[in-house]
Amino acid sequence: MNHLADLASIPQPRLRGACFKGTCPTPETLRKLARAMGKNHLELYTLAYEGRVDKLPEAVNEENLDALIRDLFETARELGLSAPQVRPSKAKIRKALIELGFSADEATNSKIV
């Protein structure tokens, strides 16, 4: 742990807190760790916040979708990301949704391929 903290140029107590105390590491800490580990910071962000995102209710309405979209853009802003200049293809959106944990019923799964 000391070696990783040194490689990432972050204080060891911060790394320990992020790993063992269940705190939410800052995007900057995740970027530094990712650089030291040779990973994409989004991978670490996903791991750090996995299971902490509230599940949407079964009956998704416009208000829930608006909240989800706001959360996506807020997270992108926290990570220093900007919206794409060109709208992503349906295939890229589909892949991203699946990676985020969205799932479809069995009848729909055959259409996703």
Side-chain angles (χ1 to χ4, degrees):
M1 186 162 286
N2 290 334
H3 183 63
L4 180 57
D6 288 340
L7 286 174
S9 300
I10 59 173
Q12 193 270 351
R14 185 183 305 164
L15 178 59
R16 179 174 294 283
C19 292
F20 295 121
K21 294 180 182 173
T23 61
C24 298
T26 65
E28 182 59 27
T29 297
L30 293 174
R31 277 192 285 276
K32 288 179 177 182
L33 284 170
R35 211 175 4 254
M37 297 169 69
K39 300 283 185 185
N40 185 303
H41 66 279
L42 294 177
E43 289 180 71
L44 296 185
Y45 191 87
T46 301
L47 290 172
Y49 291 93
E50 190 172 33
R52 296 183 190 189
V53 177
D54 294 332
K55 293 185 179 183
L56 289 176
E58 289 296 318
V60 177
N61 60 34
E62 289 294 319
E63 187 176 304
N64 296 120
L65 292 175
D66 289 344
L68 176 61
I69 292 169
R70 279 193 305 276
D71 287 346
L72 287 171
F73 277 94
E74 180 181 325
T75 301
R77 193 172 35 257
E78 289 170 357
L79 293 171
L81 303 173
S82 58
Q85 297 298 314
V86 177
R87 184 177 177 179
S89 68
K90 283 273 195 175
K92 286 183 179 182
I93 293 171
R94 196 173 296 126
K95 181 179 177 184
L97 290 172
I98 291 168
E99 288 179 16
L100 285 170
F102 284 74
S103 61
D105 60 27
E106 289 302 314
T108 310
N109 279 338
S110 61
K111 297 178 187 176
I112 291 178
V113 180

